[in-house]
Amino acid sequence: MPIKRLCSDPDDGKLIQVCAGCGAEHTISLNRAGQKSKTGPFALHDGDTLIVQIDAAPARTATFASGASTSVAAISAAQLADAFRAQLPGTRICEDAGGLLIESRTSGETSRVEILGG
């Protein structure tokens, strides 16, 4: 996977690479924990949840509500990020090449993102 760009800032360093499998650009944070989903669209149902633990904080549950402006059966990663962002404080949530990227806002050895269920 060719590296396209590298930002070596100690607190917000990241690597941008072009994926050999799909050809999309992916972001990989350096010194910051993160989890990324598969590429969407995502088949969700009203009330589906995601349970996430960030760093040493208690686990939080984000719930997808069908009041969103899109079909529940085919929500995009960007729409899912918007829906979950406010429900998961302490995280950076964004779309990354069609997948949902969840990262801790902290960097260093104590930075953790753990998906516990949903």
Side-chain angles (χ1 to χ4, degrees):
M1 292 185 253
I3 296 172
K4 185 169 183 178
R5 187 173 4 160
L6 174 65
C7 170
S8 60
D9 181 297
D11 292 323
D12 200 25
K14 60 187 76 158
L15 174 75
I16 309 296
Q17 70 177 21
V18 178
C19 179
C22 68
E25 290 183 13
H26 295 282
T27 302
I28 299 170
S29 289
L30 308 173
N31 205 26
R32 180 181 316 279
Q35 294 284 337
K36 184 170 181 229
S37 73
K38 293 190 238 178
T39 302
F42 304 93
L44 296 176
H45 300 92
D46 186 34
D48 280 354
T49 61
L50 180 66
I51 304 167
V52 181
Q53 184 172 16
I54 306 298
D55 302 331
R60 298 225 180 229
T61 301
T63 304
F64 179 75
S66 65
S69 61
T70 187
S71 165
V72 176
I75 188 167
S76 71
Q79 292 165 319
L80 192 55
D82 288 343
F84 285 163
R85 197 171 286 121
Q87 298 180 59
L88 297 171
T91 61
R92 297 164 66 170
I93 303 176
C94 64
E95 182 275 341
D96 183 65
L100 183 68
L101 177 61
I102 301 174
E103 295 182 318
S104 169
R105 288 195 178 274
T106 63
S107 59
E109 293 180 17
T110 60
S111 181
R112 301 267 186 275
V113 174
E114 188 173 354
I115 307 300
L116 301 175

